[in-house]
Amino acid sequence: MKVYTCFPGGKAKALTMSYDDGKLQDKRLIGIFNKYGIKATFNLNYGQVGERPRMTFEEMEGLYDGHEIATHTMTHPTIERCPLVEVAEELLEDRKGLEKWTGQIVRGHAYPNGSYSEEIKQLYRQLGVAYARVVETVPDFALPKDPLEWHATCHHNDPKLMEYAEFFADFKKSQYLKLMYVWGHSYEFDNNDNWDVIENFCKYMGGRDDIWYATNIEIIDYMDAAKRLQFSADYEKVYNPNACSVWLQLNSDKCVEIEGGTLVDLNTLL
């Protein structure tokens, strides 16, 4: 028997988006995402909320429902130039403020100005950050090797955006789990007068049965859950210690759901 990890629903492809700063244009962008069933992560600076063109808390109330809110530091400094104690304060105060406002635990991050270092990555790990997105992109459609240095596939202004989208949508092989990750700032669509770029992308990519639409943290948490599966030595039995389900592919075409807290003989599912 061959056993492979799958995304939820037995899928082998996932799409996620990441947008920074919490500016007014997020309203229009989220409308497009929701229209086509796209899920995204929004990275906010708690200390700058309400400073125009950033939105106020009242304007953001309920806006990000169904999406993820992540940190982006309190005041958006170039943190590689800052003392580590300042970096820690920028992160923790942003996180505490966002957690108080949302009532949720906030564990994701996008580096402000794309600034980071090995020391900052280590600090973030110790402070409970589950992942952090950088600005340099790598169009390999791979899951992050280091979640604290997560490279997106492309920026939405990449001239190859739709070329990447078409390749990803048409990709049928399931030997690897594939991820398309697009990032940017919503205000760029106003600046460049190109809202059609994201509208066309989401219209093309949305509503596909073979793609898992997820936030950044959903991908990180699901893959962590998959790593915690416990297999017998002959890998014919599996125990899922997680609260959530994990999906497996058996041999070449059988996809099965392993519910949380269950011990399963995989032979019985073939």
Side-chain angles (χ1 to χ4, degrees):
M1 188 189 327
K2 298 297 183 184
V3 181
Y4 297 100
T5 303
C6 298
F7 290 136
K11 299 172 184 179
K13 296 189 291 187
L15 173 68
T16 195
M17 316 288 284
S18 180
Y19 279 80
D20 300 348
D21 297 348
K23 295 191 177 179
L24 290 162
Q25 293 85 354
D26 278 5
K27 291 184 178 182
R28 183 171 176 180
L29 180 61
I30 288 173
I32 294 171
F33 287 160
N34 291 345
K35 178 180 178 181
Y36 296 107
I38 307 296
K39 298 186 74 173
T41 294
F42 291 88
N43 308 288
L44 307 183
N45 308 101
Y46 186 82
Q48 295 182 317
V49 169
E51 296 180 8
R52 289 309 198 205
R54 286 174 168 83
M55 289 181 284
T56 65
F57 287 116
E58 290 73 21
E59 289 171 318
M60 294 190 295
E61 189 65 37
L63 177 64
Y64 298 107
D65 289 355
H67 302 278
E68 177 193 0
I69 290 176
T71 58
H72 200 38
T73 69
M74 278 288 282
T75 61
H76 209 288
T78 304
I79 56 176
E80 191 176 7
R81 297 181 59 192
C82 301
L84 284 180
V85 291
E86 182 179 353
V87 176
E89 181 181 55
E90 281 281 343
L91 172 74
L92 288 174
E93 291 306 308
D94 189 28
R95 183 180 174 188
K96 287 190 286 187
L98 293 176
E99 289 181 339
K100 183 177 181 180
W101 174 56
T102 63
Q104 304 295 318
I105 297 175
V106 176
R107 298 162 49 235
H109 184 74
Y111 294 112
N113 300 319
S115 176
Y116 68 101
S117 66
E118 288 299 318
E119 291 78 11
I120 290 172
K121 286 166 55 179
Q122 181 60 29
L123 173 66
Y124 276 12
R125 287 189 181 97
Q126 295 170 338
L127 295 178
V129 177
Y131 72 83
R133 196 210 74 230
V134 303
V135 299
E136 297 86 1
T137 60
V138 180
D140 59 3
F141 304 98
L143 290 164
K145 292 181 175 62
D146 180 356
L148 270 295
E149 192 174 329
W150 195 349
H151 295 264
T153 308
C154 66
H155 187 281
H156 67 245
N157 280 334
D158 191 310
K160 292 186 175 182
L161 174 66
M162 290 309 299
E163 179 181 328
Y164 294 147
E166 290 168 5
F167 170 85
F168 185 74
D170 291 341
F171 194 83
K172 303 302 180 187
K173 296 181 180 180
S174 58
Q175 289 94 330
Y176 295 93
L177 294 179
K178 293 292 185 180
L179 170 68
M180 185 166 186
Y181 185 150
V182 179
W183 82 280
H185 305 86
S186 60
Y187 63 81
E188 294 172 305
F189 297 114
D190 271 357
N191 291 351
N192 299 318
D193 191 24
N194 66 345
W195 280 97
D196 60 305
V197 166
I198 197 65
E199 180 85 35
N200 292 338
F201 174 81
C202 292
K203 182 177 181 179
Y204 181 79
M205 292 295 288
R208 294 178 179 269
D209 293 337
D210 62 343
I211 294 177
W212 176 36
Y213 303 97
T215 64
N216 290 189
I217 197 63
E218 286 174 336
I219 292 168
I220 292 296
D221 284 346
Y222 180 82
M223 295 310 299
D224 284 346
K227 292 174 184 176
R228 286 192 292 269
L229 291 181
Q230 300 169 10
F231 289 89
S232 60
D234 60 9
Y235 55 90
E236 292 184 356
K237 292 183 178 64
V238 60
Y239 174 66
N240 182 359
N242 303 286
C244 65
S245 294
V246 175
W247 288 77
L248 298 175
Q249 177 182 313
L250 307 182
N251 295 329
S252 61
D253 56 1
K254 179 75 171 181
C255 291
V256 298
E257 179 183 8
I258 310 300
E259 295 181 352
T262 61
L263 174 64
V264 178
D265 185 337
L266 296 177
N267 288 299
T268 66
L269 303 179
L270 288 174

